[in-house]
Amino acid sequence: MPPSLGAHHAAMSDVSDTREAHAHSIAGKMDGVVKKAGSAIAGTKRPESPPPVPDNTDSPLVATSKRPDKHSMDYMVRSGIAGGIAGCAAKTSVAPLDRVKILFQTSNPQFAKYTSSWVGLARALRDIYGRDGIMGLFRGHSATLLKIYPYAAIKFVAYEQYRAVIVGSKAQETWGRRFTAGALAGVTSVFFTYPLEVIRVRLAFETKIRSSSLADICKKIYHEKPTPKATPAVPGSAQGVASVTAATTAAVTPQTGIINFYRGFSMTMLGMVPYAGISFLTHDSMGDLFRLPSLRKHTTLPKPANAPSDKPAPLRAWAELTSGGISGAVSQTVSYPLEVIRRRMQVGGAVGDGHRLRIGETVGLIFKERGLSGFFVGLSIGYVKIIPLSAVSFYTYERMKTLFGI
């Protein structure tokens, strides 16, 4: 080969190598950007060369991610968003049934005739739809979503935090610890969101043609006053002194204002302990049942490669929905009488003479009206509502956790 041609060929090779190096450099940078974007969307950083996911969920190659710090702000934000979305999805799916259940529980005069049979549910829905249209079935739902997002977010975040502290490790995972973590999570969420629950119930309770707006309901609740009891007293007597003392106490005790948004709060706290505790306990126990060696090949999915090391394999859709539905049915059965009492206390200012009912008075009133069955009015509707509600809630939450990599 002539020297000139050899030199020309070498020069062209150098140019080609330089261009190829630049191309590889640009491709490498673009690949890095894509991987970072993918990690941001998935909510977790993935290794550049993730190992293949085997079919055997017990393989040690599956759980490659570190155990997450559940007390970190990142974990709490992700679990809070997942919980809030799960709560909104669940409540929207059963909003019409929730409206009817509240009307039955609070003995609304226009709907009391429908509470004695299953057919009454369909007739109540038909009457509401005929009077107010589709929006009538979702009256109060805006307030429901306003309340349920923070409620569900706080509940699931609190459960994860309490569970991490109380349970700690798999060896310490007992029924009592699970129940305690769930009960504390429920109480925590109710404490922060109870006023929104009172507003929602009052909006759902109204059935008149010109219903009150959200602002009107808030004003009514804020300015409601309990009706004072007339107790004639003889001046100078012990009864007279007691009457003066009671009047003085009433004068310095808040009669209106923010306290009205916590009507029935004590009963709510009492009812939330068994409801939330049993709900989480039952759901987790059903998860353990479906993950038994004899069942898991039919009930579980392959564990994602980026899943936390301490997280079990996810359940299939039908198994997760079943776990959530059963947990809702069991918890509803146990706590339903307390829920009926709470509803009656919440609407105390909207019916009768406006007298603010105490727990004992509410129990006596319900028993006088219907006997023991009065504490279970609307329970059949409660089952129809709570099973899909709980199923959708737990299913959505678990799938969102998988999406966020927690």
Side-chain angles (χ1 to χ4, degrees), residues 14 16 45 47 64 66 95 97 116 124 149 193 209 214 239 245 247 290 292 350 367 387 400 404:
D14 291 341
S16 178
K45 293 184 178 180
T64 58
K66 296 180 180 179
L97 293 174
S116 59
Y149 188 94
T193 60
I209 299 199
L214 178 62
Q239 187 178 5
T245 303
F290 283 133
L292 289 175
F367 185 80
I387 291 176
M400 293 301 295
F404 291 157

Side-chain angles (χ1 to χ4, degrees), residues 63-134:
T64 58
S65 298
K66 296 180 180 179
R67 184 175 181 176
D69 179 9
K70 294 188 177 182
H71 299 305
S72 66
M73 183 58 66
D74 178 69
Y75 187 94
M76 288 190 286
V77 169
R78 293 186 188 188
S79 60
I81 294 174
I85 293 174
C88 290
K91 272 294 186 181
T92 301
S93 66
V94 297
L97 293 174
D98 199 29
R99 173 92 199 278
V100 175
K101 190 185 78 165
I102 290 175
L103 292 171
F104 283 7
Q105 286 180 332
T106 53
S107 297
N108 186 286
Q110 298 182 35
F111 291 88
K113 58 187 176 181
Y114 296 134
T115 61
S116 59
S117 66
W118 278 86
V119 179
L121 169 61
R123 291 178 178 174
L125 290 171
R126 182 191 62 190
D127 283 3
I128 295 172
Y129 179 78
R131 182 185 300 110
D132 302 319
I134 190 67

Side-chain angles (χ1 to χ4, degrees), residues 191-207:
F191 179 80
F192 288 104
T193 60
Y194 189 78
L196 295 174
E197 170 71 1
V198 174
I199 295 170
R200 181 183 74 88
V201 172
R202 290 291 292 271
L203 281 169
F205 180 76
E206 292 205 349
T207 57

Side-chain angles (χ1 to χ4, degrees), residues 104-381:
F104 283 7
Q105 286 180 332
T106 53
S107 297
N108 186 286
Q110 298 182 35
F111 291 88
K113 58 187 176 181
Y114 296 134
T115 61
S116 59
S117 66
W118 278 86
V119 179
L121 169 61
R123 291 178 178 174
L125 290 171
R126 182 191 62 190
D127 283 3
I128 295 172
Y129 179 78
R131 182 185 300 110
D132 302 319
I134 190 67
M135 296 306 296
L137 298 174
F138 288 88
R139 178 167 296 161
H141 189 57
S142 58
T144 298
L145 295 180
L146 182 64
K147 177 253 180 183
I148 199 61
Y149 188 94
Y151 169 80
I154 293 172
K155 181 180 70 172
F156 283 110
V157 169
Y159 179 68
E160 298 285 359
Q161 297 303 304
Y162 287 129
R163 179 182 170 83
V165 173
I166 296 173
V167 176
S169 64
K170 190 69 177 177
Q172 297 176 318
E173 193 160 0
T174 63
W175 286 27
R177 291 175 184 268
R178 283 178 172 177
F179 176 87
T180 302
L184 289 174
V187 169
T188 301
S189 60
V190 166
F191 179 80
F192 288 104
T193 60
Y194 189 78
L196 295 174
E197 170 71 1
V198 174
I199 295 170
R200 181 183 74 88
V201 172
R202 290 291 292 271
L203 281 169
F205 180 76
E206 292 205 349
T207 57
K208 58 187 179 183
I209 299 199
R210 288 192 65 184
S211 60
S212 302
S213 65
L214 178 62
D216 292 336
I217 287 290
C218 291
K219 289 178 181 178
K220 287 180 182 180
I221 297 174
Y222 186 88
H223 293 291
E224 284 173 357
K225 295 182 179 180
T227 303
K229 293 182 179 181
T231 53
V234 179
S237 65
Q239 187 178 5
V241 173
S243 179
V244 172
T245 303
T248 304
T249 303
V252 299
T253 301
Q255 301 296 307
T256 61
I258 299 299
I259 193 174
N260 285 341
F261 290 91
Y262 281 86
R263 181 177 292 130
F265 180 70
S266 57
M267 180 54 63
T268 300
M269 298 292 280
L270 183 61
M272 182 53 63
V273 170
Y275 179 82
I278 292 175
S279 177
F280 280 105
L281 168 62
T282 306
H283 174 264
D284 290 353
S285 299
M286 289 299 300
D288 290 345
L289 176 64
F290 283 133
R291 292 184 179 94
L292 289 175
S294 59
L295 297 175
R296 62 187 174 194
K297 65 180 180 180
H298 305 293
T299 58
T300 62
L301 296 169
K303 191 173 181 179
N306 66 323
S309 60
D310 61 338
K311 186 176 180 180
L315 295 176
R316 296 182 183 274
W318 71 265
E320 187 61 65
L321 290 169
T322 301
S323 297
I326 292 176
S327 72
V330 174
S331 59
Q332 179 83 342
T333 302
V334 173
S335 63
Y336 194 80
L338 297 174
E339 184 180 354
V340 172
I341 297 171
R342 174 169 61 95
R343 298 294 192 198
R344 289 294 292 269
M345 294 179 71
Q346 286 176 337
V347 300
V351 295
D353 59 1
H355 173 59
R356 185 177 296 166
L357 296 174
R358 296 181 177 86
I359 294 176
E361 292 175 320
T362 307
V363 171
L365 181 61
I366 296 173
F367 185 80
K368 182 179 179 181
E369 289 177 352
R370 296 175 177 269
L372 288 176
S373 63
F375 295 97
F376 295 92
V377 170
L379 179 58
S380 57
I381 298 177

